[in-house]
Amino acid sequence: MKSIHLFFYIAIGVCFFVSCDPKDEILSSDPNIRLSFSQDTIFFDTLYTSKVDEGIDMPSITQRFKVYNSSENAVNIAEISLSDPDNVYQLLINGQASDKVENAFLRGGDSMLIFAEANIPHENNDEIREFIGSVNLFTNGNRQEVILSAFAEDPYYISGGEIINGNVIWSKGRPYVIVDSLFVSESSSLTVEAGSRLVFNNDAKIHISGSLKLQGTVEDTIRLESIRVDGRYFNSPGQWGGLIFDSLSNNNEVKGVHLKNATFGLYIYHPDEDDIIDLTVENSTIENISQVGINAIGADVSVVNSIISHTVSNAYSHSSGGKCNFIYNTVVNENTGFFREGPSVSFGTSEDETINTIDLTLKNSIIWGSLREEILILDGVNSISVMHNLLKSPREDFDQSNILNTDPFFKVPYSYNYQLSEESPARDAGVDVVGIETDQVGVSRNSPPDIGALQYVPDPTAVPVE
């Protein structure tokens, strides 16, 4: 027992004369110690510049990186400083917003977080510009750095509830960022040329009382998307309001468009007694919608060679009368990750008001999803032609030319690729439609054509079976 006590007192004495600090707290001045980093270069996505004088502030998302001390001993980082020739970056170091921090103690085997953000001023420049900065770390006489790299472009900002009067054309080039909402007044028009990009801030929308003409092409689509496309926002629905056409609007065209991440894709309320098409949709894709992809109320609508997918509510809904030509389309609501109760496609109107009858032509289209019934045709619908479709439905009274409850076998539906695979039953199952000779992406239609927006294309890498 005495020997144990003696050992205890000796240990205390040794610790008194020789430090007993853990190794990870013993400060080393060894010049061979090098810090390591989770990333050597911090890349920011292409950023929109800020017009602070107009109240438009567009900072980047905050990027972070870790600084590691892999040594068993602690080090003193004499200085952490920002080198930023263009003065567009900001740092947060150890919880302190500063361009320079001195004497940062980092224990052995430990790490620290540094946050970086970019905010680039608007210069009304047509070119995309690159901004390079660096975070410098000085340790035991050594200098190390982490590069900061950002590209930025000056968009055309549409803010303050701007109203379009007269006939306005938006050309391809710099993106158009709609900050709140844009109004196209009665008897006015907005024409958007092929290759343009329209970016919408949270809840922003375009409200049309006149005419909207989106004139994308197979080679040069028009993109309509939310301002956040990074990370989880890339395919996140409900980030902006959509395109809203009221009863005064007319002669609207949505061609060659890729529209995503909105609350509504296209919403049109246009009750009238004629059958002149109020909204034409061609060669377009609408996806990731928190309400309805296309919602038509009393309107005359034509949808051709288009894809509608990943909608929380209906992909296409038509009610209260009007005319609907729905030809060569692909509607998919399978494996969306959303809880859905209603079908992907719904047609219906008041049975006691014949003036509100929907004249429906549904031809060469795929309507598919995870529910037992993905298409409803309710009272008040005059089914002029519902033929040569692939439909998910328990109904047995469809024309015999329709394919029911048979998997269309898309190539990679999980990646939004709705090309038909070789074994798809939709191949050669359609009927020729005068005036429609190509599919959504410009591939020539066979005769008989395939069902859906995309004609089957053989895989050029496939090895033929002997």
Side-chain angles (χ1 to χ4, degrees):
M1 191 72 174
K2 289 182 179 179
S3 62
I4 294 176
H5 289 164
L6 178 62
F7 176 79
F8 176 74
Y9 289 122
I10 291 172
I12 291 177
V14 169
C15 284
F16 181 80
F17 291 105
V18 180
S19 173
C20 282
D21 289 340
K23 284 186 176 181
D24 63 353
E25 293 185 357
I26 298 174
L27 193 63
S28 172
S29 58
D30 183 355
N32 293 314
I33 292 178
R34 307 283 291 180
L35 302 173
S36 58
F37 311 106
S38 57
Q39 296 167 261
D40 292 326
T41 302
I42 307 302
F43 294 101
F44 293 82
D45 291 330
T46 299
L47 307 176
Y48 300 122
T49 55
S50 296
K51 298 183 77 172
V52 178
D53 57 328
E54 296 182 15
I56 300 172
D57 192 20
M58 293 289 175
S60 71
I61 62 170
T62 300
Q63 301 277 24
R64 64 181 68 190
F65 66 94
K66 278 190 173 183
V67 179
Y68 299 99
N69 175 18
S70 56
S71 168
E72 64 180 5
N73 298 130
V75 294
N76 178 54
I77 306 176
E79 179 181 305
I80 305 173
S81 58
L82 173 66
S83 174
D84 181 11
D86 297 294
N87 194 32
V88 299
Y89 293 105
Q90 299 83 43
L91 298 181
L92 187 70
I93 307 168
N94 278 343
Q96 178 182 349
S98 176
D99 291 346
K100 182 178 179 180
V101 169
E102 295 180 339
N103 298 319
F105 182 83
L106 187 58
R107 298 204 306 184
D110 203 355
S111 64
M112 66 184 296
L113 266 176
I114 296 179
F115 298 87
E117 188 178 277
N119 197 332
I120 300 172
H122 194 279
E123 294 183 3
N124 199 27
N125 194 319
D126 289 336
E127 303 299 323
I128 294 178
R129 310 186 303 280
E130 184 178 12
F131 296 84
I132 298 293
S134 64
V135 181
N136 302 297
L137 299 98
F138 297 89
T139 310
N140 296 347
N142 297 313
R143 174 186 174 275
Q144 295 176 263
E145 68 175 6
V146 172
I147 300 298
L148 304 174
S149 175
F151 290 87
E153 57 185 335
D154 297 320
Y156 297 111
Y157 282 112
I158 313 299
S159 63
E162 185 170 324
I163 299 174
I164 287 183
N165 292 304
N167 300 319
V168 175
I169 298 175
W170 286 0
S171 301
K172 175 183 178 180
R174 289 155 60 178
Y176 297 84
V177 174
I178 292 88
V179 176
D180 35 42
S181 288
L182 171 67
F183 298 86
V184 181
S185 63
E186 184 181 1
S187 301
S188 297
S189 68
L190 171 61
T191 299
V192 181
E193 295 184 343
S196 298
R197 183 156 48 107
L198 277 59
V199 180
F200 294 81
N201 202 11
N202 294 341
D203 299 324
K205 63 179 71 69
I206 300 180
H207 187 115
I208 303 99
S209 293
S211 297
L212 177 65
K213 296 182 182 298
L214 304 178
Q215 297 183 332
T217 65
V218 169
E219 299 81 13
D220 219 0
T221 59
I222 296 172
R223 296 189 63 86
L224 284 77
E225 58 192 12
S226 49
I227 201 163
R228 292 289 300 271
V229 292
D230 54 286
R232 65 186 179 91
Y233 294 96
F234 185 75
N235 286 323
S236 184
Q239 297 183 59
W240 60 281
L243 306 182
I244 313 299
F245 304 86
D246 67 25
S247 60
L248 300 175
S249 70
N250 63 89
N251 199 21
N252 298 292
E253 298 177 356
V254 176
K255 298 181 178 181
V257 164
H258 190 165
L259 185 157
K260 62 183 294 187
N261 299 351
T263 301
F264 285 93
L266 313 174
Y267 183 107
I268 180 166
Y269 173 77
H270 201 286
D272 56 33
E273 297 183 13
D274 62 43
D275 61 357
I276 299 171
I277 297 299
D278 306 305
L279 172 63
T280 298
V281 183
E282 293 180 3
N283 302 326
S284 293
T285 295
I286 298 172
E287 62 192 18
N288 301 325
I289 305 298
S290 65
Q291 292 294 327
V292 182
I294 301 177
N295 193 10
I297 302 173
D300 300 306
V301 177
S302 175
V303 185
V304 177
N305 273 343
S306 293
I307 298 172
I308 311 173
S309 75
H310 290 73
T311 62
V312 179
S313 186
N314 306 116
Y316 184 90
S317 174
H318 201 130
S319 61
S320 300
K323 178 179 181 179
C324 178
N325 296 327
F326 203 82
I327 302 172
Y328 281 125
N329 299 305
T330 297
V331 173
V332 185
N333 265 322
E334 186 179 36
N335 301 310
T336 63
F338 310 142
F339 174 76
R340 296 189 305 118
E341 294 182 309
S344 289
V345 174
S346 175
F347 302 95
T349 191
S350 301
E351 58 182 317
D352 58 344
E353 296 185 60
T354 56
I355 193 174
N356 286 336
T357 298
I358 297 172
D359 292 331
L360 172 63
T361 298
L362 175 61
K363 194 177 295 183
N364 292 351
S365 293
I366 297 173
I367 299 174
W368 191 254
S370 55
L371 301 183
R372 179 171 178 265
E373 187 165 32
E374 290 289 4
I375 176 170
L376 285 180
I377 300 178
L378 305 173
D379 293 328
V381 178
N382 177 20
S383 297
I384 296 174
S385 177
V386 180
M387 301 175 63
H388 295 274
N389 304 289
L390 190 155
L391 308 173
K392 182 81 171 289
S393 173
R395 286 180 51 174
E396 298 179 352
D397 58 345
F398 284 110
D399 184 271
Q400 292 299 306
S401 65
N402 294 292
I403 302 170
L404 302 180
N405 306 311
T406 304
D407 195 314
F409 288 109
F410 300 117
K411 281 190 176 179
V412 197
Y414 293 96
S415 300
Y416 296 76
N417 181 349
Y418 303 115
Q419 291 276 355
L420 301 177
S421 60
E422 186 175 5
E423 63 270 31
S424 173
R427 291 184 59 195
D428 303 326
V431 61
D432 293 334
V433 178
V434 176
I436 306 176
E437 308 298 333
T438 60
D439 73 354
Q440 187 196 67
V441 295
V443 175
S444 295
R445 293 281 184 184
N446 294 340
S447 182
D450 298 344
I451 294 175
L454 299 170
Q455 183 78 16
Y456 168 74
V457 177
D459 185 350
T461 64
V463 178
V465 178
E466 295 292 338

